[in-house]
Amino acid sequence: DQQVKQNSPSLSVQEGRISILNCDYTNSMFDYFLWYKKYPAEGPTFLISISSIKDKNEDGRFTVFLNKSAKHLSLHIVPSQPGDSAVYFCAAITGGGADGLTFGKGTHLIIQP
Amino acid sequence: NAGVTQTPKFQVLKTGQSMTLQCAQDMNHEYMSWYRQDPGMGLRLIHYSVGAGITDQGEVPNGYNVSRSTTEDFPLRLLSAAPSQTSVYFCASSYAGQLLSGANVLTFGAGSRLTVL
């Protein structure tokens, strides 16, 4: 049973527009949610996170929104740039996270010129 | 500052062979872990360690062995390789303080692509 779901395998957005990546989860015990970005032949890199006690976290062009009642979070990228083309993974953890992050399958974001 | 270094980057094995994927970090991170990434599956945790001498199983530990004799190194051993272990393997680490805070922000290596024939 997949606890973290990214239902869009790919997303194409025009440069300069807003990119919205979505993530749903089923485990209400998750404490933190994180987004990682991955380029081909590289490891994932941390992008932004949000605690379950917040509903929004912003870092430059990146904003993550959390809707606990809907068990849904989204990553907004404004404005989208060509370098944003990558695979984005949503991840979640419970407690201290020693037993690891639970990852979604990823969404491949393609920014078109 | 090299971060997390994984070797080899690529490896081809025959079924039944054994090998070790190496992982080293120079950030003095207490926490280290191994994930595998398969097409359409996201990343899944294999084994993790919260410090030297301490290891534990993750979601998919079968067929793999780990040890943590130093803070810096966390090798992953495939005891008898099977085609189902064809995957991209990622080592990741973080500070123990991040574990305690709840937000375990991992630093990943570049990955090791393993093919088992």
Side-chain angles (χ1 to χ4, degrees), chain B:
Chain B
N1 196 344
V4 179
T5 303
Q6 291 184 234
T7 55
K9 291 193 185 309
F10 301 95
Q11 183 72 48
V12 179
L13 289 178
K14 294 181 179 179
T15 297
Q17 287 184 317
S18 63
M19 77 156 299
T20 299
L21 299 177
Q22 302 291 345
C23 175
Q25 51 90 10
D26 60 358
M27 298 171 285
N28 208 27
H29 284 172
E30 297 89 350
Y31 180 87
M32 296 186 74
S33 56
W34 278 101
Y35 285 83
R36 59 177 288 174
Q37 183 191 11
D38 301 296
M41 295 292 289
L43 287 86
R44 292 180 293 168
L45 182 66
I46 305 171
H47 283 285
Y48 65 94
S49 168
V50 297
I54 305 169
T55 63
D56 210 340
Q57 296 181 350
E59 181 186 356
V60 289
N62 292 340
Y64 306 96
N65 211 350
V66 291
S67 60
R68 184 93 181 271
S69 56
T70 66
T71 299
E72 295 77 20
D73 300 297
F74 191 45
L76 178 71
R77 296 182 186 85
L78 281 71
L79 309 171
S80 177
S84 62
Q85 294 178 303
T86 293
S87 187
V88 180
Y89 292 84
F90 290 100
C91 180
S93 68
S94 70
Y95 287 112
Q98 288 180 333
L99 287 179
L100 295 173
S101 72
N104 190 2
V105 177
L106 296 171
T107 300
F108 282 85
S112 297
R113 182 177 292 274
L114 175 68
T115 301
V116 183
L117 303 175

Side-chain angles (χ1 to χ4, degrees), chain A:
Chain A
D1 180 32
Q2 207 181 353
Q3 297 188 66
V4 176
K5 301 177 185 178
Q6 293 178 260
N7 292 320
S8 299
S10 65
L11 175 67
S12 183
V13 175
Q14 205 164 11
E15 182 179 356
R17 306 293 290 267
I18 182 172
S19 295
I20 300 176
L21 293 90
N22 294 304
C23 179
D24 297 296
Y25 62 95
T26 58
N27 188 346
S28 58
M29 300 299 291
F30 285 138
D31 292 315
Y32 259 91
F33 302 89
L34 305 90
W35 286 92
Y36 282 81
K37 176 180 181 179
K38 185 184 180 305
Y39 293 118
E42 294 184 10
T45 55
F46 170 73
L47 191 58
I48 192 170
S49 66
I50 187 168
S51 164
S52 60
I53 63 173
K54 295 186 175 182
D55 55 17
K56 177 182 175 182
N57 189 26
E58 195 170 354
D59 184 3
R61 296 186 298 114
F62 303 92
T63 303
V64 57
F65 296 93
L66 176 62
N67 183 334
K68 285 186 67 177
S69 60
K71 292 191 176 64
H72 176 83
L73 65 154
S74 60
L75 174 68
H76 293 212
I77 306 173
V78 184
S80 300
Q81 298 175 354
D84 296 330
S85 293
V87 176
Y88 289 79
F89 289 99
C90 174
I93 52 174
T94 56
D99 55 351
L101 302 175
T102 300
F103 283 87
K105 294 182 179 181
T107 296
H108 185 194
L109 177 64
I110 302 163
I111 305 301
Q112 295 185 335

